[in-house]
Amino acid sequence: MNAENKPLIIIKDLHKSFEDGEILKNISFTIREGDLASIIGPSGCGKSTFLRCINGIELMDSGSITIADVTLERAPGQVPDEKMLDTVHRMRAEVGMVFQSYNLFPHKTLLENVMLAPMVVKGKSRDEARELATKFIDKVGLSGFANRYPSTLSGGQSQRAAIARALAMNPRVMLYDEPTSALDPELVGEVLQVMKDLDAEGMTQIIVTHEMKFARDASDYIIFMDKGEIVEYEDGDILFEHPKNDRTKAFLRHFVNTNPEVAC
Amino acid sequence: MKKMLLVLLAIAVLFTGCVQPASAAAQKELRWGGDSEGGFPYMFPNPANPKELIGFEVDIVNEIASYLNMKPVYINNAWDNLIPGLTRHMYDIAIDGLEITPDHEQVVNFSIPYYRTFLQLAVRKDEKNIKTLEDCRGHKAGTLKESYSAEMLRQVGGVDIKTYIVEANTYEDLANGRVDAALFDFPIALYSAGFNPEIKFVGAPIGDLKYGIAMRKEDKQLQKDINGALVFLRDSGKLREIYDRWNLWTPTMAKEFNDYSPSKVEPTRYNDWAENHRPVLTFQKRLERYAAVMPQFGRAAIVTMQVSITAMIIAIALGLFLAITRVFASRLCASLATVYIETVRGTPVLIQLFFIFYGLPSIGIKFSPFWAGAIGLGLNYAAYEAEIYRSGLFAIPRTQWEAALALGMTRWQAMREVILPQAIRIVIPPITNDFISLLKDSSLVSIITMVDLTKTYGQISAAYYDYLGPGILVAVIYLLLGLPFVRFARYTEKRLAAMDKDSQHGHRENIYRSSTRYL
């Protein structure tokens, strides 16, 4: 959208393998500040693992990730040392992560969920943290629910709470791992709306999703992944209307056939 | 949880505070060891006033102490362990019908004999065939476990020997026909059955027993002092007076002391005893007696609770450390923790207690009975608590770790703020249940000289010849002590069931594997 904005995330030659084979092969791409990028692709294509590598929940096998001023590099076969782990830790501070299953802390209220990390990680006082948490809880539209326990919230409310919890750490980038997949269809909209609002405010966001309509409408870029590779990396409308690669075409055709409401 | 631990600690400290003895008097102490459980007529709680320790040896010690201008301090220990207790400096002299034998003399020094006696054979009133020790061949005979009398019966050959730990039980079985003869030291026989119309003593005195006061080999001066006192007490007639009062003056003693004069003192102590034990007591009298021993049980209950709570605090803290080490530490530390857990779980706690109390002092590590008991039980239960914690940690979904780490927490912060608080909720019910079983296992500390509920039950029952009433009493007390914890466990279980709905999301994956992956 803003072609003149400077790159915020630069990923080069990222590789990741598990016991059962190589999941990510030689991934490289760049995201500019304020962009909203959607990652789509068939199940098992490595898109979730990719997202988890960006905040170091999975440590890549080799490659380099730069987020703002922090660069994590790993040569093939390099054993992680204290310095690398420290870099991962600093990188996480720039990144907020939202999970498919919310992963709220069940033993704490919504307010305490949001307050915890600012207090523990940033050393904020209880009052400061409460003020900050209240601000973000209001922002995601959960003002009346601050003292509720996660078990009493709906899926949509839980996911918005999880977004507030991540935002309270003041991240430069927000990552979403299939944020609406666990939700009932009528609750999907409220979560997507929060992401749209954040985009309008200039937050940089990467979303792994199956919501094709949202991906197409809201994204600056769509990344199509298959078999551990980035197949295409395009503006939303261009990718949907003029896919260059056969694999992209096959995926989209299949998807449109099974989800007629996405057809344009 | 933190608060609860503090409260428990405070309670424990409070309890330990109130049993500390008052500061020592100016007089030097004569610390003497014996076993008052079933110890009549040597030393036993006065049936009329269970707080008071009486017995002919108690009288002797008091006379010795008074002659030496010392203050007698009694330390209870199991009879089997009287000599080990001496060498580990629990007390300076041991007296409890200890026979002067070559075996004993290899380990300790003895005073000159203060009493000389023999074995007495007892049979049922209507018994016609058994008149001597040899007649026991082909019959069942009861005696004390691992004693001189057991050895005598073995030498006869062909005797069906039943050994007992509590003397009184032998005579009960004799009256009931479970054994045909009972062979014991004369004082025991006299006080167990001398007044029983169903039992008679037969045959001449058997064997020769010399009782001496045992001391450590190195305490030469003490031995001289004690011998001096005994010579004085013998020559002044004070010892004879004691034996008369307890009805223990026999022809053997007359010969030993070369004193054939008639007794001048009435056997008042023996008469009291016989009076208390002869007929079956009325129900009313029994109830009065139970009421009288309640304060004793009350004090014992406090001891039991102190030991249990202190042990549990040790177990909870060390168990957590072991569990975290086993799950998260380096491979070497983790396997050390595993070895500890398996060793402790695989060996009897009784042996561990003996090892700590009697074994460790020989390498210079010495604990009071209280701390030996609390540490022994604590170290033992820590192994079990560690496994409970471990299962609690594994019950927290891996996704909780990911959420905490993704928020920028370190592994330790995630552990402290997110994982442990949830795991602890899960483990509270099983840990509370463990405490209830620890409360019962604490009865084992009675073997390392602690006078807890179980020991008190033994003492009172042996003193009264009554295992039924005090047995019910002590069972009820254990039950009442455990009840609040039973209720607490049930309450937390219910709360947990309510909270479990919260964790319906997320996969319960092994956090050990996933947490090492974060590294």
Side-chain angles (χ1 to χ4, degrees), chain B residues 70-311:
Chain B
M70 291 169 90
K71 184 176 159 235
V73 176
Y74 171 70
I75 289 118
N76 194 71
N77 195 5
W79 196 82
D80 294 348
N81 294 321
L82 278 177
I83 287 177
L86 198 59
T87 49
R88 86 188 279 292
H89 290 259
M90 284 175 58
Y91 34 79
D92 299 317
I93 63 172
I95 175 170
D96 195 350
L98 292 173
E99 292 157 31
I100 303 176
T101 63
D103 279 356
H104 282 162
E105 278 181 311
Q106 282 183 1
V107 196
V108 289
N109 274 348
F110 279 101
S111 66
I112 55 169
Y114 59 89
Y115 191 69
R116 192 161 182 171
T117 187
F118 50 86
L119 299 177
Q120 178 63 56
L121 192 63
V123 295
R124 271 184 302 280
K125 196 101 201 160
D126 52 8
E127 177 69 57
K128 300 256 162 34
N129 299 325
I130 304 176
K131 294 197 179 69
T132 65
L133 196 55
E134 280 68 35
D135 294 339
C136 290
R137 198 171 286 132
H139 291 279
K140 286 182 193 158
T143 187
L144 197 62
K145 204 177 145 204
E146 289 166 25
S147 65
Y148 175 58
S149 44
E151 185 53 37
M152 295 290 282
L153 282 171
R154 217 165 284 133
Q155 281 174 15
V156 171
V159 183
D160 186 357
I161 304 171
K162 306 271 178 216
T163 60
Y164 291 80
I165 295 169
V166 179
E167 299 87 345
N169 295 349
T170 321
Y171 290 94
E172 222 149 80
D173 280 1
L174 178 60
N176 295 336
R178 286 199 201 126
V179 293
D180 304 313
L183 185 67
F184 280 96
D185 295 15
F186 168 73
I188 298 172
L190 182 65
Y191 274 75
S192 300
F195 46 83
N196 190 331
E198 292 175 47
I199 292 171
K200 64 181 176 186
F201 292 164
V202 293
I206 301 160
D208 180 18
L209 303 173
K210 282 184 238 163
Y211 293 160
I213 299 172
M215 285 156 284
R216 284 180 294 274
K217 287 262 184 210
E218 65 267 25
D219 292 342
K220 297 268 191 254
Q221 185 56 46
L222 185 65
Q223 191 187 15
K224 268 185 211 148
D225 292 345
I226 298 278
N227 280 342
L230 283 174
V231 167
F232 167 77
L233 294 174
R234 184 188 67 198
D235 295 347
S236 64
K238 283 199 194 281
L239 269 182
R240 160 101 201 243
E241 223 174 85
I242 292 171
Y243 296 134
D244 277 339
R245 207 160 45 234
W246 288 95
N247 198 20
L248 291 170
W249 189 254
T250 58
T252 309
M253 282 305 290
K255 199 172 152 213
E256 175 77 8
F257 281 12
N258 196 20
D259 176 358
Y260 296 94
S261 62
S263 296
K264 293 182 219 63
V265 180
E266 283 294 307
T268 49
R269 288 298 205 179
Y270 175 74
N271 291 345
D272 286 349
W273 173 266
E275 190 57 42
N276 257 304
H277 291 84
R278 197 171 286 134
V280 178
L281 281 178
T282 62
F283 188 63
Q284 171 80 26
K285 260 216 146 143
R286 269 182 193 245
L287 283 185
E288 278 169 18
R289 186 182 269 178
Y290 296 156
V293 298
M294 282 317 285
Q296 224 179 333
F297 272 133
R299 276 193 302 278
I302 291 176
V303 172
T304 290
M305 278 309 263
Q306 282 173 326
V307 171
S308 305
I309 289 176
T310 312

Side-chain angles (χ1 to χ4, degrees), chain A residues 52 89 92 103-106 151, chain B residues 399-400 402 405 408 422 502:
Chain A
R52 293 158 66 87
H89 195 241
R92 276 192 196 133
N103 303 2
L104 295 172
F105 305 135
S151 58
Chain B
T399 50
Q400 288 287 310
E402 293 182 355
L405 294 175
Q422 295 185 60
D502 297 357

Side-chain angles (χ1 to χ4, degrees), chain B residues 326 340-348 352 380 383-384 387:
Chain B
R326 195 168 173 189
Y340 176 88
I341 290 167
E342 295 310 332
T343 308
V344 168
R345 291 203 304 178
T347 52
Q352 294 163 11
N380 182 270
Y384 293 92
E387 290 303 278

Side-chain angles (χ1 to χ4, degrees), chain B residues 8 12 69 79 89 101 169 229 233 241 255 262 300 309 327 339 342 353 388 398 410 458 460 464 466 476 484 487 493:
Chain B
L8 287 180
N69 189 27
W79 196 82
H89 290 259
T101 63
N169 295 349
L233 294 174
E241 223 174 85
K255 199 172 152 213
I309 289 176
V327 178
V339 167
E342 295 310 332
L353 285 175
I388 292 178
R398 189 194 80 174
T410 62
I460 288 173
Y464 288 138
D466 179 3
V476 168
R487 298 298 295 263
E493 260 164 22

Side-chain angles (χ1 to χ4, degrees), chain A residues 26-181:
Chain A
N26 208 18
I27 304 273
S28 299
F29 80 101
T30 303
I31 288 187
R32 289 165 307 186
E33 193 159 13
D35 278 356
L36 191 158
S38 295
I39 305 180
I40 61 171
S43 296
C45 69
K47 53 192 192 299
S48 282
T49 306
F50 175 46
L51 205 65
R52 293 158 66 87
C53 282
I54 298 179
N55 84 339
I57 281 187
E58 303 287 357
L59 189 61
M60 62 185 168
D61 294 339
S62 66
S64 110
I65 301 173
T66 302
I67 297 174
D69 305 325
V70 187
T71 299
L72 175 71
E73 281 185 307
R74 189 179 182 188
Q78 187 185 350
V79 179
D81 55 8
E82 278 303 315
K83 200 167 151 247
M84 188 183 295
L85 296 178
D86 183 57
T87 311
V88 170
H89 195 241
R90 277 190 294 131
M91 204 169 72
R92 276 192 196 133
E94 310 286 349
V95 180
M97 179 97 180
V98 173
F99 301 88
Q100 180 180 347
S101 52
Y102 338 128
N103 303 2
L104 295 172
F105 305 135
H107 60 301
K108 293 189 178 291
T109 63
L110 167 53
L111 184 67
E112 290 166 342
N113 261 278
V114 183
M115 283 166 66
L116 184 65
M119 285 166 62
V120 172
V121 179
K122 293 196 168 166
K124 288 198 188 301
S125 73
R126 183 163 281 277
D127 288 338
E128 283 176 303
R130 186 180 292 115
E131 197 179 323
L132 191 71
T134 309
K135 185 176 115 192
F136 285 107
I137 289 171
D138 289 350
K139 191 183 179 72
V140 297
L142 290 175
S143 312
F145 299 86
N147 292 318
R148 298 266 290 263
Y149 279 89
S151 58
T152 66
L153 299 176
S154 74
Q157 289 166 338
S158 294
Q159 198 56 293
R160 283 187 281 151
I163 294 172
R165 183 175 68 175
L167 288 175
M169 290 302 284
N170 194 25
R172 300 287 295 272
V173 185
M174 286 287 285
L175 308 179
Y176 304 83
D177 188 4
E178 305 196 20
T180 56
S181 301

